[in-house]
Amino acid sequence: MLIRSSDNGFSICDATIARYISSTRSTTQTKNQTMRNYYVLFLLFFLLNTKISFGQSGFQLINAINKQALEIPSFTDDDSSELAALGDILKDKKVIGLGEATHGTREFFVYKAKLIRYLIKNHNLKLVLFESNMSGLDGLNNYIQNKTTGDLNTVIKQSWLFSIYRTQEVADLIEWIRIYNQNKPEYEKVRFGGIDMHYTYYIINDILKKTGLSKLLTQQQKDALINLNKLWQKGEPKLNSKQKSNYLALTSELYKLIKKQNIGDSSSIYKQDIRLLEQSIMFNNRPDIPANKIRDKFMAENIIWAAARTAPNQKVAVWAHNGHISHGLYRNYKAMGVYLKQKYKTKYYALGLLVGVGYARLWNSRSPTKDYQFYKSPLPNIKNTDAIEYTLKQAKYANFFLDLSSPALEETIKDFMSLPHMVRVAGAQVVPSEQDVNLKINVQKSFDGILFFRNTTEAIGI
């Protein structure tokens, strides 16, 4: 039998019913055909009632979501009706993970920027960290601190901010923070940084250009770093185990060198520079899953180091992919958020951002030219009924927030969210089909809250 589903529930295909009625009205049917028709009628009745029962359960879930969801009526600061409630939830948190299902959705970027501005103005948010290189963002942070001037787009392009975040939405946030910081004392200024250790080349450049650190190195150590950097001139090399061992021994030498120096707070910063070098060498030339597993662990370590340099009452926002901020298993390994939850416990809040349909600014790794250009890429329609977005898109609000950590969360929602569901995890790449971007994830164990956007557009590149 042919059964079709719709956003309003389930119904039997009209054409099938018509064919059945026509067959039962035939006066030329044999007795056996009549019996088969009775069987078909029984089967139709059984399937219809099964679907009705499922639909009623689905309606209960949607009604519960409609009741407890907090609508996002707009993306402008002038309409902050939902921000006060969000602020109450986040006011006691130390680290707030702001996720994203894609790295190129305009609505994600605009709303996260809105939330960050609200937390800066009302809840003492003082550090904004991006899923981007920890080294190489000094110029951008200096711009935000009003220590340098210049064209913002140029400053961004000259920084080592990942290209996925070289967008107008992120630029607007950076400019807003710069204006906010004007005439503020140093302890009240908002700072900007990264969490990643991806590119050894940038890390070594950062070490060598820091006069205070560079002057501590022997010429032999400088030459070793320069030689390592030469390996990166034609792209990221694949270090073998012997090379890794040699360069890790170099980082051990550098640790010992700094330990001997009495350089106060700079010692902590220089040790972190060397730790980034150590991380990047360990990360190099690993297969996909092992590389991502160790990357998430290192990014969490870097966040914890940066957060420790803020005052106890100051907040830290981490802007990254859902898969990183999640405090559950992701592709069967511990995501970055797992380590943050272990460290901060209830002081860490993971906010997952989910997308319905629309477009995103993505690049195509499958392109024969490997040009890594960004495109306005459509997101496949959600057809899999097991996908959490399939359920969320039926809610009455187009865009909404749902606090999964709330003690008042209805049991219907808890039961649904406590089971693994397919969830979109597109990242930065063009999406050929729905199957390419869905992973089975336990949403309740991964996120403390979710933001859902039914229809989206692509971020604006600069």
Side-chain angles (χ1 to χ4, degrees), residues 86 90 93-100 112 115-116 119 125 127 129 195 303 315-327 336-337 340-341 344 347-353 401 446-451:
L86 266 167
L90 301 175
K93 309 304 177 185
K94 175 63 179 180
V95 177
I96 302 163
L98 301 176
E100 55 197 27
K112 286 201 285 189
L115 181 55
I116 286 172
L119 293 174
L125 175 62
L127 179 60
L129 300 175
I195 63 175
I303 292 167
K315 287 183 171 35
V316 179
V318 180
W319 184 313
H321 190 271
N322 283 342
H324 296 310
I325 64 109
S326 161
H327 49 64
M336 178 183 80
L340 298 179
K341 186 64 93 172
Y344 300 106
K347 296 292 184 179
Y348 175 66
Y349 193 95
L351 184 58
L353 273 66
F401 163 72
S446 298
F447 308 115
D448 300 294
I450 55 174
L451 285 166

XYZ file of all heavy atoms in Angstrom, residues 86 90 93-100 112 115-116 119 125 127 129 195 303 315-327 336-337 340-341 344 347-353 401 446-451:
405
model
N 17.142 34.092 27.799
C 18.423 33.459 27.504
C 19.498 33.937 28.475
O 20.327 33.155 28.951
C 18.833 33.781 26.068
C 18.436 32.761 24.987
C 18.625 33.356 23.601
C 19.222 31.484 25.130
N 22.006 31.824 31.034
C 23.456 31.859 30.833
C 24.204 32.706 31.861
O 25.438 32.713 31.869
C 23.767 32.385 29.427
C 23.185 31.580 28.264
C 23.471 32.273 26.937
C 23.730 30.158 28.244
N 26.929 30.942 33.884
C 27.864 30.093 33.161
C 29.217 30.788 33.007
O 29.295 32.008 32.913
C 27.309 29.733 31.780
C 25.889 29.177 31.784
C 25.743 27.953 32.670
C 24.302 27.458 32.707
N 24.119 26.341 33.666
N 30.268 29.978 32.970
C 31.615 30.500 32.743
C 31.970 30.445 31.267
O 32.469 31.418 30.694
C 32.635 29.697 33.551
C 34.090 30.083 33.303
C 34.375 31.520 33.725
C 35.839 31.885 33.499
N 36.135 33.282 33.906
N 31.750 29.294 30.641
C 32.063 29.106 29.229
C 30.793 28.716 28.490
O 30.076 27.797 28.917
C 33.145 28.023 29.038
C 33.413 27.787 27.549
C 34.435 28.411 29.752
N 30.523 29.412 27.387
C 29.308 29.184 26.600
C 29.722 28.775 25.197
O 30.354 29.545 24.473
C 28.432 30.451 26.541
C 28.050 30.892 27.959
C 27.192 30.210 25.694
C 27.554 32.315 28.030
N 29.393 27.539 24.823
C 29.689 27.054 23.485
C 28.572 27.428 22.530
O 27.426 27.038 22.742
N 28.908 28.185 21.496
C 27.929 28.609 20.492
C 28.191 27.825 19.213
O 29.124 28.106 18.472
C 28.046 30.121 20.243
C 27.829 31.020 21.472
C 28.060 32.487 21.111
C 26.429 30.825 22.037
N 27.372 26.819 18.978
C 27.606 25.907 17.866
C 27.052 26.390 16.541
O 26.493 27.495 16.434
N 27.191 25.554 15.526
C 26.625 25.819 14.200
C 26.667 24.530 13.399
O 27.673 23.809 13.408
C 27.397 26.935 13.489
C 28.894 26.706 13.362
C 29.648 27.982 13.051
O 29.156 29.061 13.414
O 30.734 27.890 12.455
N 24.183 34.643 16.617
C 25.249 34.483 17.618
C 25.888 35.832 17.937
O 26.217 36.113 19.096
C 26.292 33.487 17.120
C 25.808 32.051 17.187
C 26.942 31.046 17.198
C 27.577 30.863 15.867
N 28.538 29.722 15.865
N 23.552 37.610 20.285
C 23.629 37.059 21.637
C 24.928 37.491 22.324
O 24.929 37.827 23.513
C 23.524 35.539 21.580
C 23.569 34.781 22.911
C 22.492 35.289 23.870
C 23.422 33.275 22.676
N 26.027 37.487 21.583
C 27.311 37.921 22.152
C 27.237 39.380 22.583
O 27.700 39.747 23.675
C 28.445 37.691 21.134
C 28.769 36.203 21.047
C 29.695 38.497 21.511
C 29.727 35.834 19.932
N 25.315 39.579 25.812
C 26.075 39.070 26.965
C 27.207 40.025 27.350
O 27.537 40.157 28.528
C 26.630 37.684 26.644
C 25.586 36.568 26.483
C 26.246 35.276 26.018
C 24.815 36.337 27.780
N 30.531 39.263 29.592
C 31.288 38.467 28.637
C 32.523 39.271 28.209
O 32.394 40.386 27.698
C 30.429 38.130 27.411
C 31.132 37.401 26.265
C 31.652 36.048 26.710
C 30.195 37.245 25.077
N 35.606 37.560 26.776
C 36.494 36.877 25.847
C 35.675 36.115 24.818
O 34.821 35.301 25.172
C 37.416 35.915 26.608
C 38.402 35.099 25.776
C 39.354 36.004 24.995
C 39.191 34.131 26.663
N 36.125 33.591 21.650
C 37.068 32.694 20.997
C 36.412 32.028 19.793
O 35.280 31.543 19.886
C 37.544 31.620 21.976
C 38.262 32.112 23.234
C 38.554 30.943 24.170
C 39.562 32.824 22.863
N 41.299 29.128 19.024
C 41.456 27.949 19.886
C 42.222 26.825 19.197
O 42.521 25.809 19.810
C 40.082 27.410 20.340
C 39.251 26.942 19.143
C 39.347 28.459 21.147
C 37.927 26.286 19.520
N 41.184 26.386 25.259
C 40.099 27.194 25.827
C 40.272 27.329 27.339
O 40.126 28.423 27.904
C 38.724 26.571 25.490
C 38.444 26.677 23.991
C 37.610 27.253 26.285
C 37.279 25.827 23.525
N 32.836 35.983 31.623
C 32.387 34.892 30.770
C 33.245 34.764 29.511
O 33.878 35.716 29.064
C 30.927 35.111 30.357
C 29.933 34.870 31.454
C 28.519 35.037 30.931
C 27.495 34.599 31.953
N 27.855 34.880 33.340
N 33.214 33.537 28.945
C 33.925 33.234 27.707
C 32.928 32.623 26.730
O 32.193 31.693 27.091
C 35.075 32.239 27.954
C 35.795 31.911 26.647
C 36.047 32.778 29.001
N 32.874 33.146 25.505
C 32.035 32.571 24.452
C 32.936 31.868 23.447
O 33.954 32.422 23.021
C 31.215 33.650 23.763
N 32.571 30.649 23.065
C 33.343 29.865 22.098
C 32.478 29.628 20.867
O 31.457 28.955 20.931
C 33.795 28.518 22.696
C 34.601 27.730 21.669
C 34.607 28.739 23.967
N 32.911 30.183 19.733
C 32.177 30.110 18.460
C 32.791 28.984 17.638
O 33.910 29.085 17.159
C 32.323 31.462 17.774
C 31.582 31.670 16.497
C 31.523 30.839 15.421
C 30.804 32.833 16.135
N 30.768 31.387 14.419
C 30.315 32.613 14.830
C 30.500 34.022 16.790
C 29.528 33.558 14.161
C 29.713 34.950 16.127
C 29.231 34.724 14.837
N 32.057 27.867 17.462
C 32.623 26.699 16.772
C 31.491 25.819 16.243
O 30.308 26.073 16.484
C 33.524 25.911 17.719
N 31.858 24.768 15.560
C 30.877 23.829 14.999
C 30.175 23.061 16.113
O 30.747 22.843 17.193
C 31.584 22.848 14.059
C 30.651 22.004 13.255
N 30.179 20.790 13.697
C 30.085 22.211 12.041
C 29.374 20.267 12.780
N 29.299 21.112 11.763
N 28.950 22.633 15.837
C 28.195 21.830 16.804
C 28.986 20.614 17.276
O 28.930 20.228 18.445
C 26.890 21.327 16.171
C 25.820 22.400 16.094
O 25.895 23.416 16.774
N 24.823 22.174 15.263
N 29.707 19.985 16.339
C 30.455 18.788 16.684
C 31.553 19.031 17.697
O 31.949 18.110 18.410
N 32.052 20.264 17.770
C 33.101 20.587 18.732
C 32.527 20.983 20.093
O 33.016 20.548 21.130
C 33.973 21.719 18.198
C 34.721 21.370 16.948
N 35.466 20.221 16.820
C 34.822 22.024 15.750
C 36.006 20.177 15.613
N 35.630 21.251 14.949
N 31.497 21.822 20.096
C 30.975 22.305 21.384
C 30.139 21.244 22.102
O 29.858 21.362 23.289
C 30.163 23.609 21.207
C 28.907 23.373 20.356
C 31.029 24.702 20.615
C 27.633 23.438 21.117
N 29.755 20.191 21.391
C 28.974 19.099 21.974
C 29.698 18.467 23.151
O 30.908 18.235 23.112
C 28.717 18.037 20.902
O 28.353 16.802 21.492
N 28.947 18.164 24.228
C 29.558 17.458 25.356
C 29.154 15.981 25.369
O 29.069 15.342 26.419
C 29.250 18.129 26.700
C 27.810 18.452 26.933
N 26.836 17.500 27.035
C 27.176 19.653 27.088
C 25.665 18.081 27.256
N 25.839 19.387 27.292
N 35.193 18.224 21.880
C 35.806 19.269 22.709
C 34.959 19.591 23.934
O 35.470 19.779 25.043
C 35.982 20.523 21.849
C 36.547 21.731 22.526
S 36.604 23.127 21.356
C 34.873 23.674 21.410
N 33.634 19.656 23.736
C 32.731 20.009 24.823
C 32.730 19.021 25.965
O 32.384 19.371 27.100
N 35.291 20.263 28.267
C 34.831 21.504 28.902
C 33.786 21.216 29.966
O 33.775 21.845 31.029
C 34.272 22.453 27.842
C 35.266 22.927 26.774
C 34.575 23.835 25.761
C 36.451 23.643 27.417
N 32.923 20.251 29.705
C 31.909 19.871 30.697
C 32.576 19.222 31.907
O 32.170 19.455 33.056
C 30.882 18.931 30.062
C 29.707 18.589 30.976
C 28.877 19.816 31.313
C 27.720 20.011 30.386
N 26.800 21.104 30.820
N 34.217 22.374 33.760
C 33.352 23.427 34.302
C 32.010 22.917 34.811
O 31.260 23.673 35.433
C 33.122 24.509 33.238
C 34.397 25.160 32.783
C 34.938 24.877 31.531
C 35.081 26.048 33.604
C 36.119 25.463 31.103
C 36.270 26.640 33.187
C 36.778 26.341 31.938
O 37.957 26.917 31.528
N 28.841 24.918 34.832
C 29.256 26.255 34.390
C 29.537 26.292 32.891
O 29.878 27.340 32.343
C 30.509 26.706 35.152
C 30.310 26.877 36.650
C 29.403 28.053 36.967
C 29.285 28.283 38.460
N 28.413 29.438 38.786
N 29.411 25.133 32.238
C 29.542 25.080 30.779
C 28.174 24.847 30.160
O 27.426 23.982 30.602
C 30.497 23.969 30.348
C 30.573 23.794 28.842
C 31.109 24.803 28.041
C 30.097 22.646 28.219
C 31.172 24.664 26.662
C 30.161 22.488 26.847
C 30.695 23.503 26.068
O 30.752 23.369 24.702
N 27.863 25.613 29.129
C 26.576 25.482 28.446
C 26.835 25.351 26.951
O 27.440 26.226 26.333
C 25.688 26.692 28.712
C 24.239 26.511 28.301
C 23.288 26.106 29.237
C 23.820 26.741 27.000
C 21.957 25.934 28.890
C 22.486 26.570 26.634
C 21.560 26.166 27.582
O 20.228 25.996 27.219
N 26.394 24.232 26.373
C 26.561 23.978 24.942
C 25.264 24.283 24.220
O 24.241 23.630 24.469
C 26.966 22.535 24.712
N 25.295 25.264 23.334
C 24.118 25.690 22.581
C 24.280 25.263 21.127
O 25.065 25.842 20.367
C 23.958 27.209 22.679
C 22.724 27.838 22.020
C 21.440 27.258 22.595
C 22.745 29.353 22.195
N 23.548 24.225 20.717
C 23.621 23.732 19.347
C 22.694 24.510 18.435
O 21.558 24.797 18.809
N 23.177 24.857 17.244
C 22.369 25.590 16.264
C 22.044 24.671 15.096
O 22.957 24.154 14.430
C 23.108 26.838 15.767
C 22.909 28.108 16.618
C 23.527 27.947 17.998
C 23.486 29.334 15.923
N 14.264 28.896 20.364
C 15.223 28.351 21.317
C 14.513 27.365 22.223
O 13.373 27.596 22.641
C 15.841 29.478 22.153
C 16.528 29.015 23.407
C 17.736 28.333 23.339
C 15.971 29.253 24.652
C 18.378 27.898 24.496
C 16.602 28.831 25.819
C 17.806 28.156 25.740
N 24.278 15.808 24.097
C 25.239 16.631 23.361
C 25.114 18.115 23.662
O 26.118 18.832 23.703
C 25.075 16.409 21.858
O 25.338 15.062 21.518
N 23.871 18.590 23.855
C 23.634 20.021 23.995
C 22.766 20.319 25.214
O 21.899 19.526 25.580
C 22.945 20.581 22.745
C 23.650 20.239 21.460
C 23.057 19.431 20.517
C 24.931 20.717 21.207
C 23.704 19.097 19.337
C 25.591 20.407 20.039
C 24.978 19.588 19.094
N 23.007 21.475 25.799
C 22.162 21.945 26.901
C 20.962 22.720 26.374
O 19.957 22.865 27.071
C 22.982 22.840 27.833
C 24.162 22.090 28.425
O 23.927 21.150 29.202
O 25.314 22.438 28.106
N 21.087 23.230 25.167
C 19.995 23.951 24.528
C 20.201 23.942 23.032
O 21.296 23.673 22.537
N 19.124 24.198 22.284
C 19.238 24.261 20.826
C 18.525 25.502 20.302
O 17.523 25.955 20.868
C 18.663 23.003 20.137
C 17.204 22.747 20.565
C 19.524 21.786 20.397
C 16.548 21.602 19.803
N 19.096 26.043 19.243
C 18.449 27.092 18.458
C 18.145 26.491 17.102
O 19.011 25.870 16.479
C 19.380 28.297 18.292
C 19.562 29.214 19.501
C 20.765 30.126 19.283
C 18.314 30.045 19.734
